[in-house]
Amino acid sequence: MSLENKVAIITGAARGIGFAVAKRFVMDGAKVVIADIDDEAGEAAVDDLSGVGEAIYIHCNVAERLDVRNMVAETLNALGDIDILVNNAGVVAGSDFLELEEEDFDRVLGINLKGAFLCSQAVARHMVEKVENGGEPGCIINMSSINAVVGIPNQIPYCVSKGGVSQLTSTTAIALAQYGIRVNAIGPGSIMTDMLAAVNSDKAAKTRLLSRTPMLRIGEPSEIAGVAAFLASSDAGYVTGQTIYADGGRLPLNYTVEVPDTD
């Protein structure tokens, strides 16, 4: 699945799943833009990839239209094209529903959903122009979640935003199909990122999580990156409007599974 000489923007790529996607894309031959608001982590991510391939860092708050416009312009100026967009930037705001603050709801929806819309629209405009001038169509990959389908009562903004991302994926895939531009999404289950690392030191929490996961393990960011690499490649040339759920079998499960005692 070669991405040789493709140019990819990955938002929220300074760490976690976004960084894993950036690393996989660079290994597959792509030139990568790491877009994030954490400048120190973003520059460190570029340094980490310096021995693997070409990557640059661009500061971008995806919820701000001007930031997004500047990110696209800087990418075109530095790398000359945009073939792939991965809308990965996301945040959470845990709270009981009755105590949830409006500003927290707005912040999560602004980054997770509005940000994906703003980036998709800005990049798609470039991609459409390229196609109309005889160039190859690109693709957009949105980072959804199993929580687009199932709910967590103290993570309402996050679940709502991911449900919106699923519909954003479906509708933009239809809107852009006439240009050959593909839009798909990935719905991770429990992945070993910084946000989930605490379960390794909390046996009860880990057992509860694994009891909902038939494969009885937590996924790795590199496994999500592998799905992204497939969706970005020509191997997925007839795939659009789809969400691939990489969740260890969680969504089909209608009960809990027994978790072996490893002590």
Side-chain angles (χ1 to χ4, degrees), residues 59-74:
H59 179 97
C60 181
N61 179 350
V62 297
E64 297 293 336
R65 182 177 59 85
L66 183 59
D67 268 24
V68 171
R69 188 183 72 178
N70 289 341
M71 175 187 69
V72 170
E74 287 184 50

Side-chain angles (χ1 to χ4, degrees), residues 81-146:
D81 202 355
I82 304 169
D83 300 291
I84 305 160
L85 167 67
V86 181
N87 285 311
N88 173 75
V91 295
V92 298
S95 175
D96 179 79
F97 172 58
L98 300 180
E99 305 299 325
L100 180 63
E101 298 289 343
E102 180 181 358
E103 54 266 32
D104 287 332
F105 186 89
D106 288 346
R107 179 173 60 88
V108 174
L109 269 290
I111 294 170
N112 297 10
L113 182 55
K114 179 185 174 183
F117 160 71
L118 289 175
C119 292
S120 294
Q121 186 183 62
V123 170
R125 285 171 173 161
H126 164 73
M127 290 180 174
V128 168
E129 182 180 1
K130 182 169 65 170
V131 169
E132 290 177 338
N133 287 305
E136 293 292 320
C139 70
I140 297 170
I141 302 168
N142 296 319
M143 200 59 65
S144 185
S145 168
I146 59 167

Side-chain angles (χ1 to χ4, degrees), residues 182-233:
R182 299 180 296 105
V183 185
N184 292 290
I186 305 171
S190 300
I191 305 299
M192 189 54 73
T193 61
D194 290 345
M195 286 191 294
L196 201 61
V199 301
N200 273 337
S201 58
D202 186 334
K203 182 180 178 181
K206 187 172 184 179
T207 299
R208 186 166 59 249
L209 186 155
L210 294 180
S211 73
R212 304 193 300 268
T213 309
M215 291 189 77
L216 293 174
R217 67 178 179 85
I218 298 169
E220 295 294 333
S222 60
E223 294 177 293
I224 304 303
V227 179
F230 163 68
L231 290 174
S233 75

Side-chain angles (χ1 to χ4, degrees), residues 6-14 18-19 21-23 25-26 30-36 42-43 45-46 49 53-60 62 67-68 70-89 119 123:
K6 299 294 186 181
V7 177
I9 295 175
I10 306 167
T11 67
F19 177 74
V21 173
K23 183 176 181 179
F25 280 15
V26 166
K31 302 172 185 177
V32 169
V33 171
I34 291 176
D36 211 291
E43 296 290 358
V46 169
L49 297 178
E54 186 172 355
I56 64 172
Y57 171 69
I58 297 176
H59 179 97
C60 181
V62 297
D67 268 24
V68 171
N70 289 341
M71 175 187 69
V72 170
E74 287 184 50
T75 300
L76 293 174
N77 183 59
L79 301 176
D81 202 355
I82 304 169
D83 300 291
I84 305 160
L85 167 67
V86 181
N87 285 311
N88 173 75
C119 292
V123 170

